Amino acid sequence: MSMAEKLSIFDISGRAMAAQLVRMNTSASNIANAGTVSGSESKAFRAMKPVFQTIVGEAGRATVEVTRIDTSTATPVKRNDPNHPLADEDGNVWEAAVDSTAEMIEMLEISRQYQNNVQVLATAKGLISETLRLGQ
């Protein structure tokens, strides 16, 4: 997007909602994979986080877009479980490096931000409808 592109309230909120949807999907994936185990540290699941970039239009209007999704550098938890089918030769498995509690809090924040943008769009639609009604 060019720096001088016009951004309407619908563009701004729509892009913000799309970014929050990506954020929600990565958080849901993190929660779904919490507690999963792998036979090696390198194959263990690591939490994902989207990275946003600010997009500025004319008159200082701004929105966001997702530029990439980073993988956590947190170390998976090594657990000794020699009876597990994925255990290595030493009887160890690696549990996904995901904090379920933090992810649930993240999902609450994401849903609130998404709902805020839904409300912005509803308000803008109502204002436009009222303006058109006044012009009749």
Side-chain angles (χ1 to χ4, degrees), residues 39-87:
S40 72
E41 183 178 358
S42 64
K43 292 181 181 177
F45 182 83
R46 286 172 170 78
M48 300 178 291
K49 297 288 180 203
V51 177
F52 297 143
Q53 176 183 358
T54 303
I55 303 298
V56 181
E58 68 177 22
R61 295 180 190 146
T63 188
V64 298
E65 71 178 5
V66 177
T67 57
R68 68 181 187 278
I69 297 177
D70 285 347
T71 304
S72 173
T73 58
T75 305
V77 179
K78 184 166 108 174
R79 192 175 71 207
N80 189 272
D81 188 358
N83 295 325
H84 196 284
L86 293 176

Short mmCIF file of all heavy atoms in Angstrom, two decimals, residues 39-87:
data_model
loop_
_atom_site.label_atom_id
_atom_site.label_comp_id
_atom_site.label_asym_id
_atom_site.label_seq_id
_atom_site.Cartn_x
_atom_site.Cartn_y
_atom_site.Cartn_z
N GLY A 39 9.33 -36.46 19.78
CA GLY A 39 10.48 -37.30 20.10
C GLY A 39 11.80 -36.58 20.11
O GLY A 39 12.82 -37.15 20.48
N SER A 40 11.81 -35.32 19.67
CA SER A 40 13.05 -34.54 19.69
C SER A 40 12.74 -33.07 19.97
O SER A 40 11.63 -32.60 19.68
CB SER A 40 13.81 -34.68 18.37
OG SER A 40 13.15 -33.98 17.35
N GLU A 41 13.72 -32.38 20.49
CA GLU A 41 13.54 -30.96 20.80
C GLU A 41 13.27 -30.15 19.54
O GLU A 41 12.45 -29.24 19.53
CB GLU A 41 14.78 -30.43 21.52
CG GLU A 41 14.66 -28.99 21.95
CD GLU A 41 15.87 -28.49 22.70
OE1 GLU A 41 16.80 -29.27 22.94
OE2 GLU A 41 15.85 -27.30 23.05
N SER A 42 13.95 -30.50 18.46
CA SER A 42 13.81 -29.72 17.22
C SER A 42 12.43 -29.88 16.58
O SER A 42 11.98 -28.99 15.85
CB SER A 42 14.90 -30.11 16.22
OG SER A 42 14.74 -31.47 15.85
N LYS A 43 11.75 -30.98 16.84
CA LYS A 43 10.43 -31.22 16.24
C LYS A 43 9.28 -30.78 17.14
O LYS A 43 8.12 -30.81 16.72
CB LYS A 43 10.27 -32.70 15.91
CG LYS A 43 11.17 -33.16 14.79
CD LYS A 43 10.95 -34.63 14.48
CE LYS A 43 11.87 -35.10 13.37
NZ LYS A 43 11.72 -36.54 13.12
N ALA A 44 9.58 -30.38 18.37
CA ALA A 44 8.53 -29.97 19.30
C ALA A 44 7.87 -28.68 18.82
O ALA A 44 8.52 -27.79 18.28
CB ALA A 44 9.12 -29.78 20.69
N PHE A 45 6.57 -28.59 19.06
CA PHE A 45 5.82 -27.40 18.65
C PHE A 45 6.27 -26.20 19.46
O PHE A 45 6.52 -26.28 20.66
CB PHE A 45 4.32 -27.62 18.87
CG PHE A 45 3.48 -26.46 18.44
CD1 PHE A 45 3.11 -26.29 17.12
CD2 PHE A 45 3.07 -25.51 19.37
CE1 PHE A 45 2.35 -25.20 16.73
CE2 PHE A 45 2.31 -24.42 18.99
CZ PHE A 45 1.94 -24.28 17.67
N ARG A 46 6.37 -25.06 18.79
CA ARG A 46 6.68 -23.78 19.44
C ARG A 46 5.57 -22.79 19.11
O ARG A 46 5.08 -22.76 17.98
CB ARG A 46 8.03 -23.27 18.98
CG ARG A 46 9.19 -24.06 19.60
CD ARG A 46 10.51 -23.67 18.98
NE ARG A 46 11.65 -24.22 19.68
CZ ARG A 46 12.08 -25.47 19.58
NH1 ARG A 46 11.43 -26.32 18.82
NH2 ARG A 46 13.14 -25.87 20.24
N ALA A 47 5.20 -21.99 20.09
CA ALA A 47 4.13 -21.01 19.92
C ALA A 47 4.43 -20.05 18.78
O ALA A 47 5.59 -19.72 18.51
CB ALA A 47 3.91 -20.25 21.22
N MET A 48 3.37 -19.61 18.11
CA MET A 48 3.49 -18.65 17.00
C MET A 48 2.87 -17.32 17.40
O MET A 48 1.89 -17.29 18.14
CB MET A 48 2.78 -19.21 15.77
CG MET A 48 3.32 -20.53 15.28
SD MET A 48 2.39 -21.17 13.86
CE MET A 48 0.82 -21.56 14.62
N LYS A 49 3.45 -16.25 16.88
CA LYS A 49 2.92 -14.90 17.12
C LYS A 49 3.01 -14.10 15.83
O LYS A 49 4.07 -14.01 15.23
CB LYS A 49 3.73 -14.17 18.20
CG LYS A 49 3.68 -14.80 19.56
CD LYS A 49 2.35 -14.60 20.20
CE LYS A 49 2.35 -15.26 21.57
NZ LYS A 49 1.04 -15.59 22.03
N PRO A 50 1.89 -13.48 15.41
CA PRO A 50 1.96 -12.62 14.22
C PRO A 50 2.66 -11.30 14.54
O PRO A 50 2.61 -10.82 15.67
CB PRO A 50 0.49 -12.39 13.86
CG PRO A 50 -0.26 -12.62 15.12
CD PRO A 50 0.54 -13.59 15.94
N VAL A 51 3.31 -10.75 13.53
CA VAL A 51 3.99 -9.46 13.65
C VAL A 51 3.23 -8.48 12.77
O VAL A 51 3.04 -8.72 11.58
CB VAL A 51 5.47 -9.56 13.21
CG1 VAL A 51 6.14 -8.20 13.27
CG2 VAL A 51 6.20 -10.57 14.09
N PHE A 52 2.80 -7.37 13.37
CA PHE A 52 2.04 -6.35 12.66
C PHE A 52 2.94 -5.22 12.19
O PHE A 52 3.96 -4.94 12.80
CB PHE A 52 0.96 -5.74 13.56
CG PHE A 52 -0.09 -6.70 14.03
CD1 PHE A 52 -0.61 -6.61 15.30
CD2 PHE A 52 -0.57 -7.70 13.20
CE1 PHE A 52 -1.58 -7.48 15.75
CE2 PHE A 52 -1.55 -8.58 13.62
CZ PHE A 52 -2.06 -8.47 14.90
N GLN A 53 2.51 -4.59 11.10
CA GLN A 53 3.18 -3.39 10.60
C GLN A 53 2.12 -2.32 10.43
O GLN A 53 1.02 -2.58 9.95
CB GLN A 53 3.85 -3.67 9.26
CG GLN A 53 4.49 -2.45 8.65
CD GLN A 53 5.09 -2.72 7.28
OE1 GLN A 53 5.07 -3.84 6.80
NE2 GLN A 53 5.62 -1.70 6.67
N THR A 54 2.45 -1.12 10.85
CA THR A 54 1.53 0.01 10.69
C THR A 54 1.54 0.48 9.25
O THR A 54 2.60 0.65 8.64
CB THR A 54 1.94 1.17 11.61
OG1 THR A 54 1.97 0.69 12.96
CG2 THR A 54 0.98 2.33 11.50
N ILE A 55 0.37 0.69 8.69
CA ILE A 55 0.21 1.23 7.35
C ILE A 55 -0.42 2.61 7.50
O ILE A 55 -1.51 2.75 8.05
CB ILE A 55 -0.72 0.33 6.49
CG1 ILE A 55 -0.19 -1.10 6.42
CG2 ILE A 55 -0.91 0.92 5.11
CD1 ILE A 55 1.15 -1.24 5.78
N VAL A 56 0.30 3.63 7.04
CA VAL A 56 -0.17 5.01 7.19
C VAL A 56 -0.67 5.52 5.84
O VAL A 56 0.01 5.40 4.82
CB VAL A 56 0.97 5.92 7.70
CG1 VAL A 56 0.48 7.34 7.87
CG2 VAL A 56 1.52 5.39 9.02
N GLY A 57 -1.86 6.08 5.87
CA GLY A 57 -2.43 6.68 4.68
C GLY A 57 -2.32 8.19 4.77
O GLY A 57 -1.59 8.73 5.61
N GLU A 58 -3.07 8.87 3.94
CA GLU A 58 -3.04 10.33 3.97
C GLU A 58 -3.71 10.84 5.23
O GLU A 58 -4.48 10.13 5.88
CB GLU A 58 -3.70 10.91 2.72
CG GLU A 58 -5.19 10.67 2.64
CD GLU A 58 -5.82 11.31 1.42
OE1 GLU A 58 -5.11 11.57 0.44
OE2 GLU A 58 -7.02 11.54 1.47
N ALA A 59 -3.39 12.05 5.58
CA ALA A 59 -3.96 12.74 6.75
C ALA A 59 -3.71 11.99 8.05
O ALA A 59 -4.49 12.09 8.99
CB ALA A 59 -5.46 12.98 6.54
N GLY A 60 -2.64 11.20 8.10
CA GLY A 60 -2.28 10.51 9.33
C GLY A 60 -3.15 9.33 9.69
O GLY A 60 -3.03 8.78 10.77
N ARG A 61 -4.02 8.92 8.79
CA ARG A 61 -4.85 7.74 9.07
C ARG A 61 -3.97 6.50 8.98
O ARG A 61 -3.13 6.39 8.11
CB ARG A 61 -5.98 7.63 8.06
CG ARG A 61 -6.96 8.76 8.16
CD ARG A 61 -8.05 8.59 7.15
NE ARG A 61 -8.87 9.78 7.09
CZ ARG A 61 -9.42 10.23 5.99
NH1 ARG A 61 -9.26 9.60 4.85
NH2 ARG A 61 -10.15 11.32 6.02
N ALA A 62 -4.17 5.57 9.90
CA ALA A 62 -3.31 4.39 9.93
C ALA A 62 -4.12 3.14 10.23
O ALA A 62 -5.18 3.19 10.85
CB ALA A 62 -2.22 4.56 10.97
N THR A 63 -3.60 2.02 9.79
CA THR A 63 -4.15 0.71 10.09
C THR A 63 -2.98 -0.27 10.18
O THR A 63 -1.83 0.16 10.25
CB THR A 63 -5.20 0.28 9.04
OG1 THR A 63 -5.84 -0.91 9.48
CG2 THR A 63 -4.59 0.08 7.67
N VAL A 64 -3.26 -1.54 10.21
CA VAL A 64 -2.20 -2.54 10.36
C VAL A 64 -2.35 -3.64 9.31
O VAL A 64 -3.41 -3.81 8.72
CB VAL A 64 -2.21 -3.20 11.76
CG1 VAL A 64 -1.96 -2.19 12.84
CG2 VAL A 64 -3.51 -3.94 12.01
N GLU A 65 -1.25 -4.38 9.14
CA GLU A 65 -1.29 -5.61 8.36
C GLU A 65 -0.30 -6.57 8.99
O GLU A 65 0.64 -6.16 9.68
CB GLU A 65 -0.98 -5.37 6.89
CG GLU A 65 0.46 -5.02 6.58
CD GLU A 65 0.72 -4.85 5.09
OE1 GLU A 65 -0.22 -4.91 4.29
OE2 GLU A 65 1.88 -4.66 4.75
N VAL A 66 -0.53 -7.85 8.78
CA VAL A 66 0.38 -8.87 9.30
C VAL A 66 1.50 -9.03 8.28
O VAL A 66 1.25 -9.29 7.10
CB VAL A 66 -0.35 -10.21 9.52
CG1 VAL A 66 0.61 -11.28 9.99
CG2 VAL A 66 -1.49 -10.02 10.52
N THR A 67 2.74 -8.86 8.74
CA THR A 67 3.89 -9.00 7.82
C THR A 67 4.50 -10.38 7.87
O THR A 67 5.05 -10.85 6.87
CB THR A 67 4.98 -7.96 8.15
OG1 THR A 67 5.38 -8.12 9.51
CG2 THR A 67 4.47 -6.55 7.91
N ARG A 68 4.42 -11.04 9.03
CA ARG A 68 4.97 -12.39 9.14
C ARG A 68 4.47 -13.01 10.44
O ARG A 68 3.88 -12.33 11.28
CB ARG A 68 6.50 -12.36 9.12
CG ARG A 68 7.15 -11.72 10.33
CD ARG A 68 8.68 -11.70 10.23
NE ARG A 68 9.26 -11.22 11.47
CZ ARG A 68 9.39 -9.95 11.81
NH1 ARG A 68 8.96 -9.01 10.98
NH2 ARG A 68 9.93 -9.59 12.95
N ILE A 69 4.72 -14.29 10.59
CA ILE A 69 4.39 -14.98 11.83
C ILE A 69 5.68 -15.56 12.38
O ILE A 69 6.34 -16.37 11.72
CB ILE A 69 3.33 -16.07 11.60
CG1 ILE A 69 2.04 -15.41 11.11
CG2 ILE A 69 3.10 -16.87 12.88
CD1 ILE A 69 0.93 -16.35 10.78
N ASP A 70 6.06 -15.09 13.57
CA ASP A 70 7.29 -15.56 14.21
C ASP A 70 7.00 -16.78 15.08
O ASP A 70 5.90 -16.93 15.61
CB ASP A 70 7.90 -14.47 15.09
CG ASP A 70 8.59 -13.38 14.28
OD1 ASP A 70 8.82 -13.58 13.07
OD2 ASP A 70 8.91 -12.34 14.88
N THR A 71 8.02 -17.60 15.24
CA THR A 71 7.94 -18.77 16.11
C THR A 71 8.71 -18.48 17.38
O THR A 71 9.80 -17.91 17.34
CB THR A 71 8.54 -20.00 15.39
OG1 THR A 71 7.86 -20.18 14.15
CG2 THR A 71 8.37 -21.25 16.22
N SER A 72 8.15 -18.87 18.50
CA SER A 72 8.77 -18.63 19.80
C SER A 72 10.13 -19.29 19.90
O SER A 72 10.38 -20.35 19.33
CB SER A 72 7.86 -19.17 20.90
OG SER A 72 8.50 -19.11 22.15
N THR A 73 11.01 -18.66 20.67
CA THR A 73 12.33 -19.23 20.92
C THR A 73 12.35 -19.98 22.25
O THR A 73 13.41 -20.47 22.67
CB THR A 73 13.40 -18.12 20.94
OG1 THR A 73 13.06 -17.16 21.95
CG2 THR A 73 13.52 -17.44 19.59
N ALA A 74 11.20 -20.08 22.91
CA ALA A 74 11.13 -20.80 24.20
C ALA A 74 11.52 -22.26 23.99
O ALA A 74 11.17 -22.88 22.98
CB ALA A 74 9.72 -20.71 24.77
N THR A 75 12.24 -22.79 24.94
CA THR A 75 12.71 -24.17 24.86
C THR A 75 11.61 -25.13 25.29
O THR A 75 11.02 -24.95 26.35
CB THR A 75 13.94 -24.36 25.77
OG1 THR A 75 14.92 -23.39 25.42
CG2 THR A 75 14.53 -25.74 25.63
N PRO A 76 11.35 -26.16 24.50
CA PRO A 76 10.37 -27.17 24.90
C PRO A 76 10.82 -27.87 26.19
O PRO A 76 12.02 -27.96 26.48
CB PRO A 76 10.37 -28.17 23.73
CG PRO A 76 10.90 -27.39 22.58
CD PRO A 76 11.87 -26.41 23.16
N VAL A 77 9.86 -28.34 26.95
CA VAL A 77 10.15 -28.98 28.23
C VAL A 77 10.48 -30.45 28.00
O VAL A 77 9.69 -31.20 27.42
CB VAL A 77 8.93 -28.85 29.17
CG1 VAL A 77 9.19 -29.54 30.50
CG2 VAL A 77 8.55 -27.40 29.37
N LYS A 78 11.66 -30.84 28.47
CA LYS A 78 12.09 -32.24 28.36
C LYS A 78 11.50 -33.02 29.53
O LYS A 78 11.58 -32.59 30.68
CB LYS A 78 13.61 -32.32 28.36
CG LYS A 78 14.14 -33.73 28.15
CD LYS A 78 15.62 -33.68 27.83
CE LYS A 78 16.42 -34.18 29.00
NZ LYS A 78 17.86 -34.27 28.69
N ARG A 79 10.89 -34.14 29.19
CA ARG A 79 10.25 -34.96 30.21
C ARG A 79 10.65 -36.42 29.99
O ARG A 79 10.65 -36.89 28.84
CB ARG A 79 8.74 -34.80 30.08
CG ARG A 79 7.95 -35.36 31.22
CD ARG A 79 6.48 -35.05 31.08
NE ARG A 79 5.94 -35.85 29.98
CZ ARG A 79 4.90 -35.52 29.24
NH1 ARG A 79 4.28 -34.39 29.44
NH2 ARG A 79 4.47 -36.29 28.29
N ASN A 80 10.98 -37.12 31.05
CA ASN A 80 11.35 -38.52 30.93
C ASN A 80 10.10 -39.37 31.00
O ASN A 80 9.38 -39.36 32.00
CB ASN A 80 12.34 -38.92 32.02
CG ASN A 80 12.89 -40.30 31.77
OD1 ASN A 80 12.31 -41.29 32.20
ND2 ASN A 80 14.00 -40.37 31.05
N ASP A 81 9.82 -40.07 29.91
CA ASP A 81 8.64 -40.95 29.81
C ASP A 81 9.01 -42.11 28.89
O ASP A 81 8.62 -42.14 27.73
CB ASP A 81 7.46 -40.16 29.26
CG ASP A 81 6.16 -40.94 29.32
OD1 ASP A 81 6.17 -42.12 29.74
OD2 ASP A 81 5.12 -40.37 28.93
N PRO A 82 9.79 -43.08 29.40
CA PRO A 82 10.30 -44.15 28.56
C PRO A 82 9.22 -45.03 27.92
O PRO A 82 9.47 -45.69 26.92
CB PRO A 82 11.19 -44.97 29.49
CG PRO A 82 10.89 -44.53 30.87
CD PRO A 82 10.23 -43.19 30.78
N ASN A 83 8.00 -45.01 28.45
CA ASN A 83 6.92 -45.82 27.89
C ASN A 83 6.16 -45.12 26.77
O ASN A 83 5.29 -45.73 26.15
CB ASN A 83 5.95 -46.24 29.01
CG ASN A 83 6.61 -47.15 30.01
OD1 ASN A 83 7.45 -47.97 29.67
ND2 ASN A 83 6.24 -46.99 31.28
N HIS A 84 6.46 -43.86 26.55
CA HIS A 84 5.77 -43.11 25.49
C HIS A 84 6.28 -43.57 24.13
O HIS A 84 7.48 -43.75 23.94
CB HIS A 84 6.02 -41.60 25.67
CG HIS A 84 5.06 -40.77 24.89
ND1 HIS A 84 5.16 -40.61 23.52
CD2 HIS A 84 3.98 -40.05 25.28
CE1 HIS A 84 4.19 -39.83 23.10
NE2 HIS A 84 3.46 -39.48 24.15
N PRO A 85 5.37 -43.78 23.16
CA PRO A 85 5.81 -44.27 21.84
C PRO A 85 6.75 -43.31 21.09
O PRO A 85 7.49 -43.75 20.22
CB PRO A 85 4.51 -44.47 21.07
CG PRO A 85 3.44 -43.82 21.87
CD PRO A 85 3.94 -43.64 23.26
N LEU A 86 6.75 -42.03 21.45
CA LEU A 86 7.64 -41.07 20.78
C LEU A 86 8.95 -40.86 21.52
O LEU A 86 9.80 -40.08 21.07
CB LEU A 86 6.93 -39.72 20.63
CG LEU A 86 5.73 -39.67 19.68
CD1 LEU A 86 5.09 -38.29 19.71
CD2 LEU A 86 6.13 -40.06 18.28
N ALA A 87 9.14 -41.53 22.64
CA ALA A 87 10.35 -41.34 23.45
C ALA A 87 11.60 -41.70 22.65
O ALA A 87 11.60 -42.64 21.86
CB ALA A 87 10.27 -42.17 24.71
#
